[in-house]
Amino acid sequence: MGAGVRRWRAGDHVTVSCVQVDDQEPATHADGMLGAEQRIWGYETNFGGLAHYTVVRASQLLTKPTHLTWEESASTMLTAATAYRMLISDRGARIKQGDIVLIWGATGGLGGFAVQLVKNAGGIPVGVVSSEAKARLLRGLGCDVIINREEIGLGRNEELTPSAPPNSAAGSAGSSAGRPARTRTSFSTSSARPRSRCRCSSCDAAARWSPVAPAPVTGTGTTTATCG
């Protein structure tokens, strides 16, 4: 226990948030997720949860709910917290009774919590899934409207569902041989986390994203952003 820890004692039952912030950074006081020094614990830090003992900041700790198991308590700290932030909190949509909310991937970890939050807030969840098996799971959560995307041509058919590489966005820019040409633009999350770690496989693991003006690659209709 560090000398600066005030609110916790040895033996306390706690869960750990994966968000690690600098509590002395001014931006963190308004919204910790937008702090320049915000890190994801165990992913952008040296210490993580796959160990018998680990190191966390006191600001990451929350009291374990007494009516939940350890597994139930731990499972809410990522997907449930994210769904709550984006749907309910002042930093998100602040949904209200009667709102219709489209939830893509409604049986995933994030989507499953989102459906339940919308229902409990008096909204109408519209869940999108990729199979009838997942639709059955969604009915069990009480989702009001269920869309099986395979039934409307948004399934695994490659011709109907063009794929895009990770960390890219696809859009139309110009045309070629009578068909719209796709432009793929690589991007980082530097606007939300300006100092997040570089994901480029050719860079050193400790490098940082440094967004620069995209440079077109001749003849390919593709633009990329480089890191430095």
Side-chain angles (χ1 to χ4, degrees):
M1 192 78 68
V5 178
R6 302 186 307 276
R7 297 180 178 272
W8 306 100
R9 298 289 182 269
D12 286 347
H13 287 192
V14 299
T15 57
V16 180
S17 168
C18 67
V19 179
Q20 190 176 94
V21 301
D22 181 354
D23 57 10
Q24 297 186 30
E25 183 183 0
T28 295
H29 299 166
D31 188 347
M33 293 297 291
L34 298 184
E37 296 302 319
Q38 182 259 333
R39 297 285 185 271
I40 296 300
W41 175 69
Y43 182 65
E44 296 175 304
T45 69
N46 290 333
F47 300 99
L50 296 178
H52 289 92
Y53 300 95
T54 190
V55 177
V56 300
R57 294 183 179 179
S59 58
Q60 292 176 249
L61 300 181
L62 294 93
T63 301
K64 173 188 172 295
T66 57
H67 65 291
L68 298 179
T69 66
W70 283 106
E71 292 80 7
E72 290 168 340
S73 300
S75 69
T76 63
M77 293 310 303
L78 180 63
T79 51
T82 299
Y84 181 89
R85 171 186 169 84
M86 301 310 295
L87 292 170
I88 309 294
S89 76
D90 289 339
R91 307 299 177 188
R94 292 182 288 184
I95 62 173
K96 59 186 181 298
Q97 189 169 6
D99 279 356
I100 300 173
V101 182
L102 178 67
I103 304 169
W104 189 275
T107 55
L110 183 60
F113 278 116
V115 169
Q116 296 173 77
L117 286 171
V118 172
K119 288 286 291 185
N120 280 278
I124 302 171
V126 179
V128 181
V129 292
S130 60
S131 69
E132 180 54 36
K134 292 180 178 180
R136 288 194 295 271
L137 291 174
L138 199 51
R139 293 186 189 99
L141 292 177
C143 189
D144 291 294
V145 181
I146 300 173
I147 300 172
N148 184 344
R149 58 186 175 88
E150 286 195 330
E151 296 177 353
I152 59 173
L154 292 174
R156 295 184 177 86
N157 188 315
E158 294 183 359
E159 293 183 359
L160 297 175
T161 311
S163 61
N167 299 327
S168 70
S172 176
S175 61
S176 174
R179 296 180 300 171
R182 286 193 212 115
T183 296
R184 290 174 176 171
T185 305
S186 299
F187 66 96
S188 76
T189 54
S190 56
S191 59
R193 290 183 289 165
R195 292 173 61 89
S196 63
R197 298 211 182 265
C198 177
R199 304 293 187 267
C200 178
S201 60
S202 64
C203 291
D204 183 84
R208 305 288 187 177
W209 270 104
S210 178
V212 297
V217 180
T218 304
T220 64
T222 303
T223 59
T224 60
T226 60
C227 44

